[in-house]
Amino acid sequence: MERTLKQKRCLLHPAAAIAIGCALGLTGLDAAENVEAAIESVRRVGTDGQGFDDALPAAQQLQQLPAEKITQVLDGAKEVNPIAENWIRGIVFGIAQKSGSPDLAVLKAYVNDQAKNAIGRGIAMELIQREDSQVAQGMLSDLLNDPSLAIREMAVEQAIGNAEALAEDQADAAIGIYRDALTAARHPKQLSRIVESLGKLGEAVTTADAFSLILDWKSIAPFDNEGGVGYAAVYAPEKQFASAGQIDLSQKHDGKAGEIAWQDVAGSNDEGLVNLADAYNKEKGAVAYLFAEFDSPEQQDAQARLGCINANKVWVNGEEVMATEVYHSGSMLDQYVAPFELKKGKNTILLKICQNEQEESWAQRWEFQFRITDPTGKGLESGN
Amino acid sequence: MSIYQIKKPSFRSAIVLMCLGGFTLSMFSSVNAADPKNWLGFRGDGTSASPSAPAEIKVGDDGNVAWKVAMPGKSVAGPIVVGDRVISTSSGGQEGEKLFVTAVSLKTGEKLWEQSFRATGRPFCHPTSANAAPSPVSDGERIFAFYSSNDLVCLSLEGDLLWYRGLGFDYPKAGNDIGMASSPVISEGTLIAQVEAQGDSFAIGIDAATGVNLWRMARPRQSNWSSPVEISRPDESTEVVMQSGTNIIAVDPRRGNIKWIIEEGADKIASGTPAGDYLLLPGSEMMALNIGESATTPEIMWRNSRLSPRNASAVLNDDRFYSLKGSVLVAATVEEGEQVWQKRLSGLGGTWATPVAAGGRIYIFDQSGVGLVVEDQGDSAETIMEVDLEEPVLASPAIADGKLIVRTNQSLFCFE
């Protein structure tokens, strides 16, 4: 009977086989291929509930697996989207809740094998932290530059903690640890904390330097944004850039109240903040365009990272890479992140930063911070 | 308003539903939100009221703290209670991107299980808030944890993952970076969430059993932190009322079609409170709607600008309600909208957490962790107890089985 059922299930779509098995009360995944099929169903989940029909029974079945199967599930995290990643996380922790974690030696080997996928290794490291924080600590001290961003973040966090403990009595040792962590860190919050801590120890490191923020811009403003018309309006610089990927900085344009020209604006040396309210006399209902060039030594994947409390758009080499029509609703470094490709040689960047007409004291900021990073968040500098 | 999508469950979905045994549970289960042993969502059954709670809240050696448990992160989300489990959400990490759902025993405070996820949407929020801001909700069989990043987790009562949605991933322009906080509701097997901000602004109905969209509708593009509220008609049909700064609408929970609309803005922070035949809606004026018969637009019975709360939602106590206006508590009648008493609460700082009420007492916490027990003495009120939990409280407490559960920034307290 069992053989007959298995044969039948083989003729069906793997997920359908799991569903029927489940409906018949077969709660165990008794064959390796069924485990793989169930993992594959979970890997396929996407946006808007895509693939949930198959993934729901698969997730239920997978959570009945014994602890030693966790690494097999972790393997399923290879190159999955963030939704599937969370399904796999939930399944792994679901198994661990019922069956316990796998042997620590197995998890350690999994984390130490950099050929394994980064997401799976990160989840394995969390399991180790839950099981034995001392073991995790020992491992993390060697993983400061790990290719898994999750593991690297844990290692940087531990390094920051170590440096904090030494800061008062052994400042030089603390500075050394902070410097190593500064090189390794990718998360903007961690970078900011390290910069601040180094500052307190007398080390001259600015946020602008640590993040490789772009400070020197050409700017033209104000164009009209009264009633919010400017966000969608395609003013001359935008039209020129979209068609040619370049800007003629000698050209003057019709602005909100007459002819306007490109001028230099610079970000602050400490925070790299470009303050347009100061540059344009606190103009309200206005659009500013900012232009910069960026030299890349090679063609490479990159990210545009913008922190901006105003509505904004960003183009690189004539292509729009991000657009956000939100005003005065929070701001921080790396608030908006968009991938793009840097070409070898000169690249051109155009920003559109829109100020609205809100009168509240907290709605007067018209400013931004911008940088280009590699896909891990490491700041890139023009020419390097 | 336009409905983007009305999706009937597919045949395949039906198989999955039957397989999981969830269909009958979600559609026909008789979980009673008013059962005093449960507190299934933000403000319990929506009223913030329960028959009984501890007469006092005291910490220290002679106090009545049954247990206190450290949580894995920060939260401004109210805890819920499903049977013998207290469920609380937290967020941690550099920006609140680490999401936690923790279950502890109501009786002992023992941690039963904990799940953790990674935000797929924007986790940013004001420093006083947290990614874990919307309160979780349960249909008695499943737990639904929602976050400011618009991540939505569905778990079994045992902590197994049932499904996971990333509404911030699906709709990347949804949300705001001050933090979202609207708590979802469950109605007729549908999880209904308001995801309203300057970017992609919508309300959504998700099938509780399968996690797929039943409907999604555009909402005004403005920040809104108020929560949807379920109301019942005399014929036992239900509607979910959603308010915004632009209008008030009621929708069919399963289909998302609009049943009625009042073209008048309401509060964007404090939520509506069902009060028997009435629905109390805060705004520049507190407004009482007489819910009335099906297929009719509820009638506005009264308005009173002096009864609108500041941040917290109104709290029901039989035929009267309480409205917290900063550090002033006002009691008023539901039917007439007439003020009964007003009490200035000495020692109370800024308040965000909606108070809860039981046995003629109102339990109020400020954002520094100071808690007051105010006794409604009919024509007046008296503060009968003050406690300092020494941790911020921005989450509305829960009351279940006579116990008061308070979620502070980093801990969970149970008073008995």
Side-chain angles (χ1 to χ4, degrees), chain A residues 66-275:
Chain A
E68 59 264 26
K69 293 283 187 186
I70 279 180
T71 51
Q72 193 177 349
V73 180
L74 291 173
D75 282 342
K78 186 178 181 182
E79 294 171 359
V80 291
N81 67 53
I83 306 298
E85 175 185 339
N86 275 306
W87 279 71
I88 287 170
R89 289 183 66 88
I91 290 163
V92 166
F93 285 108
I95 296 170
Q97 270 152 208
K98 276 192 284 291
S99 309
S101 284
D103 192 273
L104 270 181
V106 173
L107 287 175
K108 279 179 73 173
Y110 197 92
V111 170
N112 288 329
D113 183 356
Q114 293 195 358
K116 296 288 186 187
N117 75 85
I119 295 169
R121 290 178 62 235
I123 298 171
M125 194 69 223
E126 280 182 59
L127 280 171
I128 295 171
Q129 264 188 333
R130 279 196 187 192
E131 288 299 308
D132 192 330
S133 59
Q134 296 284 336
V135 170
Q137 271 181 30
M139 294 175 71
L140 286 172
S141 58
D142 296 326
L143 297 172
L144 200 56
N145 292 296
D146 196 88
S148 157
L149 286 178
I151 293 174
R152 182 186 288 241
E153 190 182 310
M154 290 183 225
V156 168
E157 199 59 35
Q158 182 166 299
I160 291 172
N162 292 342
E164 281 171 354
L166 293 173
E168 196 168 315
D169 298 327
Q170 300 177 56
D172 287 347
I175 288 168
I177 296 171
Y178 277 133
R179 286 280 180 189
D180 289 344
L182 187 66
T183 305
R186 295 291 180 268
H187 197 289
K189 275 272 167 132
Q190 287 184 325
L191 278 168
S192 293
R193 287 161 58 206
I194 295 166
V195 168
E196 188 182 348
S197 297
L198 282 169
K200 285 178 183 168
L201 291 170
E203 292 288 291
V205 182
T206 67
T207 299
D209 285 343
F211 282 78
S212 304
L213 288 159
I214 297 176
L215 302 182
D216 297 321
W217 296 88
K218 298 289 184 185
S219 168
I220 189 166
F223 293 93
D224 186 19
N225 192 33
E226 290 183 4
V229 298
Y231 180 79
V234 181
Y235 293 118
E238 184 176 333
K239 193 172 180 183
Q240 193 178 90
F241 194 73
S243 62
Q246 188 52 270
I247 292 284
D248 180 352
L249 297 171
S250 66
Q251 272 191 6
K252 295 181 177 177
H253 298 288
D254 290 333
K256 184 179 172 184
E259 195 175 67
I260 51 179
W262 290 93
Q263 65 180 65
D264 291 328
V265 295
S268 62
N269 286 328
D270 48 1
E271 298 292 321
L273 193 71
V274 181
N275 191 330

Side-chain angles (χ1 to χ4, degrees), chain A residues 13 18-20 22-23 46-49 52-54 56-57 59-60 63-64 81-83 85-91 93-94 97-98 126 130 153-154 157 187-190 193 322-337 358, chain B residues 5 7 10 12-13 15-16 18-20 93-95 97-98 100 112-120 122 124-125 151 156 158-167 169-171 173 175-179 198-199 204 209-213 216 221 223:
Chain A
H13 186 283
I18 293 163
I20 291 169
C22 179
T47 56
D48 277 321
F52 280 24
D53 282 1
D54 296 339
L56 260 70
Q60 289 256 310
Q63 284 169 97
Q64 309 306 317
N81 67 53
I83 306 298
E85 175 185 339
N86 275 306
W87 279 71
I88 287 170
R89 289 183 66 88
I91 290 163
F93 285 108
Q97 270 152 208
K98 276 192 284 291
E126 280 182 59
R130 279 196 187 192
E153 190 182 310
M154 290 183 225
E157 199 59 35
H187 197 289
K189 275 272 167 132
Q190 287 184 325
R193 287 161 58 206
M322 68 172 79
T324 307
E325 192 179 11
V326 174
Y327 293 92
H328 306 294
S329 190
S331 178
M332 62 285 299
L333 276 160
D334 291 358
Q335 186 176 12
Y336 303 108
V337 179
Q358 279 180 258
Chain B
Q5 184 180 4
K7 185 178 171 185
S10 62
R12 211 188 217 180
S13 299
I15 290 176
V16 172
M18 286 185 285
C19 172
L20 298 178
Q94 304 300 324
E95 302 271 15
E97 71 281 1
K98 295 181 179 176
F100 300 94
L112 302 173
W113 51 259
E114 190 165 276
Q115 273 280 14
S116 86
F117 301 93
R118 290 291 176 273
T120 63
R122 308 173 65 72
F124 310 116
C125 64
D151 285 85
S156 73
E158 287 70 43
D160 279 354
L161 176 76
L162 299 179
W163 49 261
Y164 191 99
R165 290 289 302 272
L167 302 184
F169 186 76
D170 295 356
Y171 316 109
K173 292 191 184 301
N176 74 55
D177 292 345
I178 295 172
Q198 289 182 51
I204 194 164
T210 64
V212 299
N213 290 5
R216 190 165 85 97
R221 284 185 57 194
S223 297

Side-chain angles (χ1 to χ4, degrees), chain B residues 165-367:
Chain B
R165 290 289 302 272
L167 302 184
F169 186 76
D170 295 356
Y171 316 109
K173 292 191 184 301
N176 74 55
D177 292 345
I178 295 172
M180 307 285 277
S182 178
S183 300
V185 293
I186 297 283
S187 181
E188 295 189 16
T190 310
L191 179 132
I192 294 158
Q194 285 180 258
V195 182
E196 301 184 17
Q198 289 182 51
D200 194 353
S201 194
F202 60 88
I204 194 164
I206 294 173
D207 186 77
T210 64
V212 299
N213 290 5
L214 294 172
W215 53 267
R216 190 165 85 97
M217 70 164 62
R219 295 284 290 156
R221 284 185 57 194
Q222 54 192 218
S223 297
N224 183 12
W225 295 271
S226 68
S227 301
V229 178
E230 184 190 58
I231 59 169
S232 297
R233 297 284 197 165
D235 65 358
E236 297 188 348
S237 64
T238 55
E239 294 165 2
V240 169
V241 178
M242 297 186 281
Q243 66 193 63
S244 71
T246 302
N247 58 27
I248 301 154
I249 65 167
V251 298
D252 176 312
R254 288 299 285 182
R255 295 179 56 79
N257 52 307
I258 295 173
K259 307 290 279 189
W260 52 265
I261 184 165
I262 296 175
E263 297 288 1
E264 179 175 335
D267 204 277
K268 294 187 283 184
I269 298 177
S271 305
T273 303
D277 295 337
Y278 294 81
L279 174 65
L280 304 171
L281 280 171
S284 56
E285 300 173 305
M286 181 65 101
M287 181 196 300
L289 303 183
N290 186 344
I291 293 170
E293 298 297 325
S294 301
T296 62
T297 299
E299 190 182 351
I300 298 171
M301 301 306 292
W302 54 259
R303 298 167 181 269
N304 190 332
S305 61
R306 290 178 304 164
L307 301 180
S308 252
R310 186 172 294 170
N311 298 320
S313 305
V315 177
L316 188 67
N317 176 17
D318 293 331
D319 59 353
R320 63 178 56 180
F321 68 94
Y322 308 110
S323 192
L324 186 60
K325 303 165 77 73
S327 60
V328 174
L329 186 66
V330 178
T333 59
V334 171
E335 278 198 33
E336 298 84 12
E338 290 173 358
Q339 182 175 312
V340 181
W341 50 254
Q342 174 175 304
K343 170 81 176 167
R344 181 165 291 283
L345 303 172
S346 172
L348 197 72
T351 49
W352 287 94
T354 291
V356 291
R361 292 180 292 272
I362 308 108
Y363 301 79
I364 307 167
F365 287 86
D366 75 11
Q367 61 184 351

